[in-house]
Amino acid sequence: AHVPLDGGATVGSLDLPLKEARDRFERDYIASVLHHHHGRVPEAARALGLQRTNLYRKMRQLHLVAPSAPRGH
């Protein structure tokens, strides 16, 4: 299958090198998943299809800090 290159699906700035654009997307995506799971890394890792330790490593690489998980009542 071919994807038409009509320019309809642009993402962010188009003047970034591919690696930087990919890192930015990955950082934003992981941050969104962590936020959705209230900072609970094991749940976010499961949703991302990653092992928890790999997610922690990726977070360090991308300089991401998980939001604080809410404490039990």
Side-chain angles (χ1 to χ4, degrees):
H2 296 282
V3 177
L5 298 176
D6 62 3
T10 57
V11 179
S13 177
L14 297 178
D15 60 348
L16 296 175
L18 179 60
K19 181 178 179 355
E20 189 174 333
R22 184 176 49 235
D23 288 348
R24 187 175 291 185
F25 169 80
E26 200 170 23
R27 177 180 162 77
D28 292 346
Y29 186 71
I30 291 172
S32 293
V33 172
L34 283 165
H35 179 75
H36 177 76
H37 289 282
H38 307 287
R40 293 191 279 272
V41 174
E43 291 177 22
R46 208 170 6 264
L48 290 164
L50 297 173
Q51 291 183 357
R52 181 183 44 82
T53 54
N54 289 342
L55 178 53
Y56 277 118
R57 183 170 25 86
K58 181 59 77 175
M59 289 168 62
R60 277 193 307 276
Q61 289 171 348
L62 297 172
H63 307 289
L64 267 175
V65 177
S68 298
R71 303 227 181 241
H73 301 301

